[in-house]
Amino acid sequence: MLTAYDYPTAKVLDEAGIPLILVGDSLGNVVLGYDSTVYVTMDDMIHHCRAVTRGVRNALVIGDMPFMSYQANVSDALRNAGRFLQEGGCQAVKIEGGEHMAETAHRMVQVGIPVMGHIGLTPQSVNALGGYKVQGRTLETARQLVRGAAALEQAGCFSIVLEMVPVPLARLITEKVGVPTIGIGAGPFCDGQVQVVSDMLGLFTDFVPKHTKQYTHLAQAIRAAVGDYAREVREGQFPTEAHSFGMKEEVIEELKGEL
């Protein structure tokens, strides 16, 4: 699974055979320039989901429900989740939280909205968690994550994201639950992996998470290309005849005579 936030990226990911595309609220960081996902709104998410789904033909598109779009009550959660399907064109939604969100996930599933769970580091709760830290290292917090995964499976979630969870614990949870786990900073024993596309392509350069492998460095390539463009414009090397349009000589000559 990879994230996407716009039409051309989603189209390329789909053509490359990525089976799951997440329109993540990480767009707050890597697209909108916020320092947290907390600032992302429902309107932000629906706008980007529409762009992504227009570019996808085969992948399952999952909309990431933003902060306070589902936490207050089940009624709000159902209404907002429905918007992702009706307005955004998504086929599923993702919510953060374990046991305390299981009832909400269950009601969504009951009314026909496929739900992906998300436990471990839950970025929307970063203020309560005290920062972006690995979760589940103590016995009690590990127990909470195991219980949370079981509760989300029981609620009907079709998969569960494990973010920044120690490898042995992620492996234990993956073996315990009967639905696929998707890891991000949770080691190699999850059933699948997810990365923020801007991270793995080297496009977002503010920082590189430890769990990210950069498969290319697009920011460097873009800087070089933009630099070449600016230099060629300044030096009169662009545009050339190959990038320009002509017209009949007699037309321009008559026009000159009128001026």
Side-chain angles (χ1 to χ4, degrees), residues 46-108:
I46 297 300
H47 174 81
H48 287 272
C49 285
R50 284 173 172 164
V52 167
T53 55
R54 283 193 286 265
V56 172
R57 296 293 176 267
N58 300 304
L60 179 74
V61 180
I62 302 132
D64 210 356
M65 297 196 68
F67 181 60
M68 293 310 297
S69 67
Y70 59 95
Q71 291 96 333
N73 55 65
V74 173
S75 179
D76 282 352
L78 293 176
R79 184 179 305 108
N80 287 322
R83 288 189 64 191
F84 275 93
L85 275 63
Q86 284 187 319
E87 299 176 39
C90 298
Q91 291 85 47
V93 299
K94 181 176 75 64
I95 62 173
E96 296 181 3
E99 287 181 283
H100 65 289
M101 293 309 305
E103 179 185 353
T104 299
H106 180 59
R107 286 292 294 122
M108 290 182 184

Side-chain angles (χ1 to χ4, degrees), residues 44-245:
D44 290 334
M45 292 304 306
I46 297 300
H47 174 81
H48 287 272
C49 285
R50 284 173 172 164
V52 167
T53 55
R54 283 193 286 265
V56 172
R57 296 293 176 267
N58 300 304
L60 179 74
V61 180
I62 302 132
D64 210 356
M65 297 196 68
F67 181 60
M68 293 310 297
S69 67
Y70 59 95
Q71 291 96 333
N73 55 65
V74 173
S75 179
D76 282 352
L78 293 176
R79 184 179 305 108
N80 287 322
R83 288 189 64 191
F84 275 93
L85 275 63
Q86 284 187 319
E87 299 176 39
C90 298
Q91 291 85 47
V93 299
K94 181 176 75 64
I95 62 173
E96 296 181 3
E99 287 181 283
H100 65 289
M101 293 309 305
E103 179 185 353
T104 299
H106 180 59
R107 286 292 294 122
M108 290 182 184
V109 173
Q110 279 186 321
V111 300
I113 301 172
V115 178
M116 174 181 283
H118 182 160
I119 59 175
L121 173 65
T122 47
Q124 292 173 13
S125 306
V126 66
N127 293 319
L129 296 174
Y132 296 93
K133 302 176 181 178
V134 176
Q135 303 296 306
R137 279 179 162 161
T138 68
L139 180 59
E140 182 51 37
T141 56
R143 284 172 173 162
Q144 289 175 359
L145 292 180
V146 171
R147 291 195 302 265
L152 292 173
E153 178 186 17
Q154 185 65 32
C157 291
F158 69 90
S159 62
I160 303 170
V161 171
L162 306 180
E163 181 167 359
M164 290 183 65
V165 174
V167 173
L169 178 57
R171 185 174 191 175
L172 179 65
I173 291 172
T174 299
E175 292 171 349
K176 178 178 174 61
V177 298
V179 296
T181 60
I182 300 177
I184 177 168
F189 300 109
C190 296
D191 298 301
Q193 298 292 327
V194 60
Q195 286 288 302
V196 172
V197 71
S198 312
D199 291 339
M200 60 84 66
L201 293 178
L203 183 59
F204 183 73
T205 59
D206 288 8
F207 67 93
V208 180
K210 180 181 179 181
H211 57 68
T212 294
K213 176 181 177 180
Q214 290 187 318
Y215 286 80
T216 188
H217 300 88
L218 289 189
Q220 293 180 15
I222 290 171
R223 287 191 199 99
V226 171
D228 287 344
Y229 164 75
R231 176 183 53 78
E232 289 191 4
V233 170
R234 286 193 300 266
E235 296 176 357
Q237 298 176 11
F238 177 85
T240 66
E241 184 177 351
H243 313 104
S244 306
F245 305 91

